[in-house]
Amino acid sequence: MKKRLFALMLAMMLVFTATALAATRADEVFASASASLSSGKSATFRAQTQTYTNTISVVSVSLYVKTGNTWTYARSLPAPSTSSSGINFSASKDYSAYIGSGTYRINATFNADGYTIARSSGEVTF
């Protein structure tokens, strides 16, 4: 009986801890945001807000190159000219003219009604 009570209390503590951690990591405006760089040197940007927004867009994109184990800023890239209202945002942009050979990633800054959040893509080697 004591073992069952202990196991139940432990399970409840784990659930409460996980819920508290998830709540502290949640963003107040964005439910999700991501930037991805493809092997074809194009990028896809996606975002979803918690509630309706008048404007969601990508306001800046930066290119980083990996040298050894260090990421170095390479240049600013043109952001996609697409914006949307509502909750969901999706855009793509071809960056093949800006990316040579090597290992790269991009950093993108999203804006939803004046609130910004930054996201990085995974690294891609060309």
Tab-separated table of all heavy atoms in Angstrom, residues 95-124:
chain	number	residue	atom	x	y	z
A	95	TYR	N	18.056	31.292	-51.862
A	95	TYR	CA	19.297	31.973	-51.498
A	95	TYR	C	20.504	31.396	-52.226
A	95	TYR	O	21.641	31.604	-51.805
A	95	TYR	CB	19.511	31.897	-49.982
A	95	TYR	CG	18.518	32.711	-49.190
A	95	TYR	CD1	17.721	32.110	-48.236
A	95	TYR	CD2	18.370	34.083	-49.400
A	95	TYR	CE1	16.808	32.862	-47.495
A	95	TYR	CE2	17.457	34.831	-48.680
A	95	TYR	CZ	16.684	34.208	-47.726
A	95	TYR	OH	15.782	34.950	-47.012
A	96	SER	N	20.290	30.706	-53.334
A	96	SER	CA	21.392	30.064	-54.047
A	96	SER	C	22.425	31.069	-54.557
A	96	SER	O	23.602	30.731	-54.680
A	96	SER	CB	20.863	29.205	-55.200
A	96	SER	OG	20.117	29.994	-56.099
A	97	ALA	N	22.029	32.301	-54.805
A	97	ALA	CA	22.979	33.315	-55.280
A	97	ALA	C	23.901	33.810	-54.162
A	97	ALA	O	24.920	34.452	-54.430
A	97	ALA	CB	22.219	34.499	-55.885
A	98	TYR	N	23.579	33.499	-52.922
A	98	TYR	CA	24.336	34.022	-51.784
A	98	TYR	C	25.164	32.955	-51.057
A	98	TYR	O	25.981	33.285	-50.213
A	98	TYR	CB	23.377	34.650	-50.760
A	98	TYR	CG	22.509	35.721	-51.344
A	98	TYR	CD1	21.214	35.437	-51.784
A	98	TYR	CD2	22.973	37.027	-51.461
A	98	TYR	CE1	20.406	36.422	-52.318
A	98	TYR	CE2	22.169	38.017	-51.996
A	98	TYR	CZ	20.890	37.708	-52.428
A	98	TYR	OH	20.095	38.696	-52.959
A	99	ILE	N	24.925	31.694	-51.369
A	99	ILE	CA	25.562	30.608	-50.640
A	99	ILE	C	26.504	29.848	-51.558
A	99	ILE	O	26.101	29.386	-52.625
A	99	ILE	CB	24.499	29.647	-50.053
A	99	ILE	CG1	23.587	30.393	-49.078
A	99	ILE	CG2	25.166	28.467	-49.362
A	99	ILE	CD1	22.421	29.568	-48.561
A	100	GLY	N	27.752	29.720	-51.125
A	100	GLY	CA	28.739	28.955	-51.887
A	100	GLY	C	28.868	27.557	-51.330
A	100	GLY	O	27.904	26.946	-50.895
A	101	SER	N	30.100	27.053	-51.310
A	101	SER	CA	30.328	25.737	-50.718
A	101	SER	C	30.785	25.922	-49.272
A	101	SER	O	31.373	26.935	-48.918
A	101	SER	CB	31.368	24.961	-51.522
A	101	SER	OG	32.594	25.662	-51.539
A	102	GLY	N	30.480	24.945	-48.455
A	102	GLY	CA	30.805	25.014	-47.047
A	102	GLY	C	29.604	24.608	-46.221
A	102	GLY	O	28.620	24.083	-46.738
A	103	THR	N	29.674	24.869	-44.919
A	103	THR	CA	28.582	24.552	-44.005
A	103	THR	C	27.944	25.850	-43.540
A	103	THR	O	28.635	26.742	-43.038
A	103	THR	CB	29.092	23.737	-42.798
A	103	THR	OG1	29.703	22.536	-43.291
A	103	THR	CG2	27.961	23.375	-41.853
A	104	TYR	N	26.641	25.963	-43.732
A	104	TYR	CA	25.914	27.200	-43.460
A	104	TYR	C	24.696	26.946	-42.592
A	104	TYR	O	24.176	25.846	-42.516
A	104	TYR	CB	25.443	27.842	-44.778
A	104	TYR	CG	26.548	28.342	-45.655
A	104	TYR	CD1	27.152	27.514	-46.598
A	104	TYR	CD2	26.993	29.664	-45.551
A	104	TYR	CE1	28.163	27.983	-47.412
A	104	TYR	CE2	28.001	30.133	-46.362
A	104	TYR	CZ	28.580	29.287	-47.290
A	104	TYR	OH	29.595	29.759	-48.095
A	105	ARG	N	24.205	28.015	-41.997
A	105	ARG	CA	22.895	28.061	-41.354
A	105	ARG	C	22.381	29.488	-41.494
A	105	ARG	O	23.145	30.416	-41.777
A	105	ARG	CB	22.942	27.629	-39.895
A	105	ARG	CG	23.532	28.654	-38.958
A	105	ARG	CD	23.477	28.192	-37.523
A	105	ARG	NE	24.013	29.226	-36.642
A	105	ARG	CZ	24.337	29.028	-35.395
A	105	ARG	NH1	24.197	27.835	-34.862
A	105	ARG	NH2	24.796	30.009	-34.649
A	106	ILE	N	21.085	29.650	-41.293
A	106	ILE	CA	20.504	30.991	-41.324
A	106	ILE	C	19.846	31.285	-39.985
A	106	ILE	O	19.394	30.379	-39.294
A	106	ILE	CB	19.487	31.168	-42.476
A	106	ILE	CG1	18.360	30.123	-42.381
A	106	ILE	CG2	20.157	31.146	-43.820
A	106	ILE	CD1	17.205	30.386	-43.314
A	107	ASN	N	19.814	32.551	-39.642
A	107	ASN	CA	19.063	33.041	-38.487
A	107	ASN	C	17.975	33.958	-39.029
A	107	ASN	O	18.262	34.827	-39.856
A	107	ASN	CB	19.955	33.822	-37.526
A	107	ASN	CG	20.916	32.936	-36.773
A	107	ASN	OD1	20.919	31.724	-36.926
A	107	ASN	ND2	21.761	33.548	-35.960
A	108	ALA	N	16.762	33.762	-38.578
A	108	ALA	CA	15.637	34.574	-39.041
A	108	ALA	C	14.949	35.218	-37.851
A	108	ALA	O	14.809	34.606	-36.796
A	108	ALA	CB	14.640	33.705	-39.807
A	109	THR	N	14.522	36.462	-38.048
A	109	THR	CA	13.746	37.156	-37.029
A	109	THR	C	12.323	37.334	-37.554
A	109	THR	O	12.112	37.916	-38.617
A	109	THR	CB	14.358	38.526	-36.691
A	109	THR	OG1	15.700	38.324	-36.234
A	109	THR	CG2	13.551	39.241	-35.617
A	110	PHE	N	11.376	36.800	-36.797
A	110	PHE	CA	9.953	36.901	-37.129
A	110	PHE	C	9.343	38.061	-36.346
A	110	PHE	O	9.758	38.344	-35.219
A	110	PHE	CB	9.222	35.613	-36.740
A	110	PHE	CG	9.652	34.401	-37.515
A	110	PHE	CD1	10.776	33.679	-37.148
A	110	PHE	CD2	8.922	33.980	-38.614
A	110	PHE	CE1	11.169	32.550	-37.847
A	110	PHE	CE2	9.300	32.847	-39.321
A	110	PHE	CZ	10.435	32.135	-38.938
A	111	ASN	N	8.332	38.703	-36.932
A	111	ASN	CA	7.627	39.799	-36.276
A	111	ASN	C	6.129	39.549	-36.368
A	111	ASN	O	5.613	39.264	-37.444
A	111	ASN	CB	7.978	41.128	-36.955
A	111	ASN	CG	7.327	42.307	-36.282
A	111	ASN	OD1	6.135	42.306	-36.010
A	111	ASN	ND2	8.095	43.335	-36.039
A	112	ALA	N	5.450	39.660	-35.239
A	112	ALA	CA	3.986	39.560	-35.204
A	112	ALA	C	3.473	40.768	-34.433
A	112	ALA	O	3.621	40.841	-33.209
A	112	ALA	CB	3.535	38.266	-34.543
A	113	ASP	N	2.943	41.732	-35.157
A	113	ASP	CA	2.402	42.954	-34.552
A	113	ASP	C	3.395	43.632	-33.603
A	113	ASP	O	3.045	44.086	-32.520
A	113	ASP	CB	1.095	42.662	-33.807
A	113	ASP	CG	-0.053	42.344	-34.757
A	113	ASP	OD1	0.086	42.582	-35.973
A	113	ASP	OD2	-1.091	41.863	-34.275
A	114	GLY	N	4.666	43.674	-34.006
A	114	GLY	CA	5.688	44.368	-33.224
A	114	GLY	C	6.447	43.493	-32.249
A	114	GLY	O	7.455	43.905	-31.695
A	115	TYR	N	6.010	42.281	-32.030
A	115	TYR	CA	6.702	41.345	-31.146
A	115	TYR	C	7.616	40.479	-32.005
A	115	TYR	O	7.172	39.923	-33.009
A	115	TYR	CB	5.690	40.478	-30.399
A	115	TYR	CG	6.316	39.502	-29.440
A	115	TYR	CD1	6.579	39.867	-28.129
A	115	TYR	CD2	6.651	38.218	-29.849
A	115	TYR	CE1	7.157	38.973	-27.234
A	115	TYR	CE2	7.223	37.320	-28.965
A	115	TYR	CZ	7.478	37.707	-27.663
A	115	TYR	OH	8.055	36.826	-26.791
A	116	THR	N	8.893	40.367	-31.652
A	116	THR	CA	9.830	39.606	-32.469
A	116	THR	C	10.363	38.381	-31.727
A	116	THR	O	10.432	38.356	-30.495
A	116	THR	CB	11.029	40.472	-32.905
A	116	THR	OG1	11.710	40.966	-31.753
A	116	THR	CG2	10.574	41.632	-33.773
A	117	ILE	N	10.738	37.389	-32.528
A	117	ILE	CA	11.364	36.168	-32.020
A	117	ILE	C	12.356	35.703	-33.075
A	117	ILE	O	12.095	35.840	-34.267
A	117	ILE	CB	10.295	35.098	-31.696
A	117	ILE	CG1	10.898	33.945	-30.905
A	117	ILE	CG2	9.626	34.604	-32.944
A	117	ILE	CD1	9.870	32.990	-30.337
A	118	ALA	N	13.505	35.194	-32.653
A	118	ALA	CA	14.545	34.737	-33.586
A	118	ALA	C	14.661	33.218	-33.552
A	118	ALA	O	14.527	32.610	-32.492
A	118	ALA	CB	15.881	35.371	-33.238
A	119	ARG	N	14.912	32.654	-34.713
A	119	ARG	CA	15.111	31.215	-34.829
A	119	ARG	C	16.248	30.941	-35.808
A	119	ARG	O	16.429	31.656	-36.788
A	119	ARG	CB	13.846	30.512	-35.344
A	119	ARG	CG	12.707	30.526	-34.363
A	119	ARG	CD	13.017	29.650	-33.152
A	119	ARG	NE	11.937	29.560	-32.211
A	119	ARG	CZ	11.861	30.249	-31.083
A	119	ARG	NH1	12.807	31.101	-30.771
A	119	ARG	NH2	10.838	30.089	-30.265
A	120	SER	N	16.994	29.852	-35.553
A	120	SER	CA	18.084	29.422	-36.432
A	120	SER	C	17.715	28.121	-37.112
A	120	SER	O	17.044	27.276	-36.516
A	120	SER	CB	19.367	29.203	-35.631
A	120	SER	OG	19.815	30.398	-35.070
A	121	SER	N	18.195	27.952	-38.324
A	121	SER	CA	18.012	26.678	-39.026
A	121	SER	C	19.078	25.704	-38.557
A	121	SER	O	20.044	26.082	-37.888
A	121	SER	CB	18.135	26.885	-40.541
A	121	SER	OG	19.485	27.150	-40.882
A	122	GLY	N	18.930	24.488	-38.950
A	122	GLY	CA	19.993	23.513	-38.757
A	122	GLY	C	21.100	23.783	-39.764
A	122	GLY	O	20.925	24.531	-40.732
A	123	GLU	N	22.240	23.189	-39.539
A	123	GLU	CA	23.353	23.397	-40.469
A	123	GLU	C	23.193	22.505	-41.697
A	123	GLU	O	22.663	21.405	-41.622
A	123	GLU	CB	24.687	23.128	-39.800
A	123	GLU	CG	24.923	21.710	-39.349
A	123	GLU	CD	26.268	21.545	-38.668
A	123	GLU	OE1	26.569	22.296	-37.739
A	123	GLU	OE2	27.005	20.629	-39.081
A	124	VAL	N	23.633	23.040	-42.846
A	124	VAL	CA	23.595	22.310	-44.105
A	124	VAL	C	24.948	22.491	-44.782
A	124	VAL	O	25.468	23.606	-44.847
A	124	VAL	CB	22.471	22.817	-45.047
A	124	VAL	CG1	22.450	22.025	-46.324
A	124	VAL	CG2	21.120	22.744	-44.353
